[in-house]
Amino acid sequence: MAGNRIGKMPQAPLIATLVAGLGLAFILGTLANRLRLSPLVGYLVAGVLIGPFTPGFVADQALARQLAELGVILLMFGIGLHFSLNDLLSVRKIAIPGAVGQMALVTMLGLIVTQAIGWPIGAGVVFGLALSVASTVVVLRALQEMRQLETDGGRIAVGWLVVEDLAMILVLVLLPAFAGVLGGSVNGANLNGNDLFKLFEPQTIWSALGLTLAKLAAFFAIMVVVGRRVIPPILHYVAHTGSRELFRLAVLAIALGVAFGAAELFGVSFALGAFFAGMILAESQLSQRAAQETLPLRDAFAVLFFVSVGMLFNPMILVEQPLLVGVAFLIIVIGNATAASAIALMFGYPSYVALTLGLSLAQIGEFSFILAGLGVDLALLPEAGRDLVLAGAILSILINPLLFAALDRLTPWLKARERTIATQEGRAETPELAATSLTDHAVLVGHGRVGSLVAETLQTARLPYLVIEERQVTVDQLRARGVDVIAGNAAQPGLLEAANVASARWLISAIPNPFESGNLIEHAHAINPKLEIIARAHSDAEVDYLKKFGADLIIMGEREIARGISDHILSRIDAPAAPAADQSQNARQVDSKPMAG
């Protein structure tokens, strides 16, 4: 039966869809990478080629979207594993008003454009809202690839996305109730004048709004209270069985089960439910292992998400409506980026943080497709509007990685410019910092997973040290333990001076962003040329980058794991030869000076 269906080529079953989607995505993703483009470009083009608007093989769109939904669930679960409730609450002051303000501004732009071309108000509202909601998958993939997820901009972007998701849930619930007022239809029939008043009766709009808010509150309460007592103990029990297969199965069952239950029982999106499940599990000691176990499936199904997006795209709209496609694209990219960046600047964030946030939101995705489809079903949005949303989404997703690459090159210059301006104006970005009295000490930048372990070693060795940390929750915890800590970003003017880097023995950069580390290292080296600087990296390219700025010791996680294993084996056989990994590292002069003490 499968062979007959493939032979006729109208639609493809599950296996054929997986083979065609993943196989073509691999080929075109590799080609895009060869051309120094983001692999996402190849994935999207693969979707276009196996979609219904191009000749040849046609994959099953509905099946591809369901597979893509699995990718969204696993991706959001993995992101949640790296966040805590405190991280989310720490950005609420900008994320809530910022997301609402940005969505309102971009919706207004969409409404203005649609009024100019003669569409009704309802179409303009739906069109504008669809252009204002960023794709969670695209944002998180971009932040992960650029190692921006744990930065200020990354944390704000995640909080912003959560607020946008919640806002869109309310919009999807309330839009059918308002369809008649906006010129559409409810259940396929236009409302007459008498029916109009029924929309404002409590059992319609207000009951729907109240019920939705009650469901959201119940979901959050259950996840915070029950989730903390149920999910971690289950994983700990499975881990003690010693079966890796059962542990992986438990992680997948929890991620998919919570996401499905959240959607069915509370009306929460799959993505948001999975994110909160991961965030609750992040408090467990097994969170890192859970993230590693879901990584292969997460990546594979995330690829299918982009393939499914490409399948929705009709390339002919670029020929039939090039001007409107261009306008929609500019609203998505320029409108969202400008609105978000301006709001972040109004809240006092540095320009590089504002730009990171703005570029993160300069594209649209899954919620936009759902909203546009609902708008067409309710006779609010013409089908041409849905095509414009899809075209704008495709183009914005294609250009987003290029914008992030440009931001990476621009960030060091922006930070240096802000320091110069602050110095010339005689001002500081933060209140005056009290200088530490420590000397001959270690300055530890970042107190995350890596930094906290380094701090434990320094504490055990009774070496004096000071921590520079941005997250206020962590700062408060360290101060409560009696640790010397300065709150803020190490790139702020005067902060390294307050940490007395001039009299310090070591500077340890435990932050994951190499570009931010490079700027920090350069500044510290200028203050104290004798300072021994230690940094972390994830690739040979990052090692070379940090060496240029004066880092003395650069640690790569994979290389240190290999060195530790090799040292252990050689110590057992009393072999005098150095490990191959160590020889390779010395040959590349990554270790230019041994660590003192």
Side-chain angles (χ1 to χ4, degrees):
M1 182 180 296
N4 292 336
R5 290 185 65 185
I6 296 174
K8 294 178 181 179
M9 282 195 180
Q11 289 277 316
L14 173 62
I15 295 178
T17 298
L18 284 172
V19 171
L22 293 178
L24 199 56
F26 165 69
I27 295 171
L28 296 179
T30 303
L31 179 61
N33 186 66
R34 180 78 174 176
L35 297 174
R36 297 190 175 182
L37 298 173
S38 170
L40 297 185
V41 176
Y43 306 156
L44 291 167
V45 174
V48 174
L49 292 179
I50 64 174
F53 304 104
T54 53
F57 181 85
V58 178
D60 189 331
Q61 280 183 293
L63 185 58
R65 282 198 294 270
Q66 291 182 14
L67 294 172
E69 195 71 61
L70 290 175
V72 175
I73 291 172
L74 295 174
L75 179 67
M76 290 300 292
F77 179 73
I79 297 302
L81 289 171
H82 296 287
F83 270 78
S84 68
L85 191 58
N86 290 331
D87 289 332
L88 204 59
L89 293 176
S90 67
V91 298
R92 69 186 183 281
K93 292 182 180 179
I94 180 176
I96 296 175
V100 173
Q102 171 248 323
M103 291 178 69
L105 289 171
V106 175
T107 300
M108 188 61 65
L109 287 176
L111 182 59
I112 292 172
V113 170
T114 54
Q115 287 291 290
I117 60 177
W119 287 6
I121 291 179
V125 171
V126 174
F127 183 71
L129 280 170
L131 301 185
S132 70
V133 187
S135 167
T136 302
V137 179
V138 176
V139 173
L140 297 180
R141 283 294 291 267
L143 291 174
Q144 281 181 324
E145 288 179 3
M146 300 299 173
R147 304 197 186 281
Q148 296 277 340
L149 197 56
E150 297 180 18
T151 64
D152 262 357
R155 285 192 289 270
I156 295 171
V158 172
W160 201 292
L161 288 169
V162 170
V163 176
E164 283 192 347
D165 281 359
L166 292 174
M168 287 308 300
I169 290 170
L170 294 177
V171 169
L172 294 173
V173 169
L174 296 178
L175 191 61
F178 279 102
V181 175
L182 295 173
S185 64
V186 177
N187 297 327
N190 289 326
L191 294 178
N192 56 38
N194 294 329
D195 292 330
L196 183 62
F197 294 99
K198 294 182 180 180
L199 286 173
F200 297 97
E201 294 179 2
Q203 64 266 29
T204 55
I205 292 176
W206 303 118
S207 60
L209 178 60
L211 182 60
T212 302
L213 292 175
K215 285 182 176 181
L216 289 174
F219 169 70
F220 292 140
I222 289 175
M223 289 306 300
V224 172
V225 178
V226 179
R228 286 179 173 176
R229 297 182 179 180
V230 175
I231 295 177
I234 290 175
L235 277 187
H236 279 278
Y237 171 79
V238 176
H240 282 104
T241 65
S243 172
R244 182 176 180 180
E245 180 182 340
L246 282 177
F247 183 83
R248 185 184 295 120
L249 187 59
V251 173
L252 292 175
I254 289 172
L256 298 176
V258 172
F260 182 78
E264 290 294 314
L265 300 178
F266 302 101
V268 177
S269 66
F270 288 122
L272 195 61
F275 173 76
F276 273 93
M279 200 168 63
I280 295 300
L281 187 56
E283 300 179 11
S284 167
Q285 296 177 349
L286 295 170
S287 60
Q288 200 68 23
R289 181 180 171 188
Q292 293 171 352
E293 294 294 344
T294 58
L295 185 60
L297 278 175
R298 202 161 71 221
D299 287 344
F301 282 104
V303 169
L304 285 174
F305 167 80
F306 294 102
V307 173
S308 69
V309 171
M311 291 171 64
L312 297 172
F313 180 55
N314 184 0
M316 287 305 297
I317 195 172
L318 299 175
V319 178
E320 297 169 355
Q321 299 283 355
L323 182 59
L324 286 179
V325 170
V327 171
F329 172 74
L330 290 176
I331 291 176
I332 294 168
V333 177
I334 306 299
N336 282 309
T338 302
S341 298
I343 291 171
L345 290 173
M346 287 173 57
F347 275 79
Y349 283 90
S351 57
Y352 57 90
V353 174
L355 276 177
T356 300
L357 176 63
L359 295 185
S360 297
L361 303 172
Q363 38 67 41
I364 60 173
E366 54 273 17
F367 260 124
S368 302
F369 308 146
I370 296 171
L371 180 60
L374 179 61
V376 172
D377 292 340
L378 295 173
L380 285 170
L381 185 69
E383 292 193 6
R386 179 172 57 186
D387 293 338
L388 289 174
V389 170
L390 290 172
I394 294 287
L395 294 176
S396 64
I397 291 173
L398 286 174
I399 199 173
N400 197 250
L402 302 178
L403 296 176
F404 264 103
L407 176 64
D408 276 339
R409 295 179 179 275
L410 192 62
T411 296
W413 178 82
L414 287 173
K415 291 182 177 180
R417 180 175 176 271
E418 288 192 352
R419 285 201 306 270
T420 302
I421 294 174
T423 302
Q424 290 174 348
E425 295 180 355
R427 63 176 173 84
E429 293 180 336
T430 59
E432 186 175 349
L433 298 167
T436 181
S437 59
L438 293 176
T439 59
D440 200 30
H441 60 295
V443 177
L444 174 60
V445 182
H447 198 270
R449 286 185 171 88
V450 173
S452 59
L453 295 175
V454 174
E456 288 180 10
T457 300
L458 295 172
Q459 184 79 29
T460 302
R462 296 187 178 181
L463 292 171
Y465 72 98
L466 176 143
V467 177
I468 298 176
E469 173 59 48
E470 291 183 89
R471 292 172 295 180
Q472 191 59 46
V473 174
T474 305
V475 170
D476 294 339
Q477 292 172 348
L478 291 172
R479 284 176 177 163
R481 289 161 40 194
V483 177
D484 284 322
V485 59
I486 297 179
N489 188 300
Q492 294 173 203
L495 197 143
L496 289 181
E497 288 78 2
N500 198 16
V501 166
S503 300
R505 189 175 182 182
W506 301 287
L507 174 75
I508 306 164
S509 177
I511 54 179
N513 187 342
F515 300 98
E516 191 172 345
S517 289
N519 196 44
L520 165 67
I521 291 167
E522 184 180 30
H523 188 199
H525 197 268
I527 296 174
N528 183 358
K530 297 181 179 179
L531 184 70
E532 184 169 11
I533 300 175
I534 305 167
R536 59 183 286 196
H538 300 85
S539 66
D540 289 335
E542 292 181 8
V543 170
D544 294 335
Y545 179 83
L546 295 176
K547 281 171 61 181
K548 290 192 301 184
F549 289 96
D552 299 299
L553 175 63
I554 304 166
I555 305 296
M556 280 181 59
E558 292 81 0
R559 183 172 289 153
E560 289 308 305
I561 292 172
R563 175 191 285 186
I565 294 172
S566 302
D567 286 346
H568 175 76
I569 293 173
L570 294 176
S571 68
R572 292 293 184 181
I573 61 175
D574 297 325
D582 201 7
Q583 292 172 356
S584 173
Q585 181 162 322
N586 289 334
R588 299 186 68 252
Q589 294 183 349
V590 177
D591 237 339
S592 61
K593 287 194 296 186
M595 181 174 176

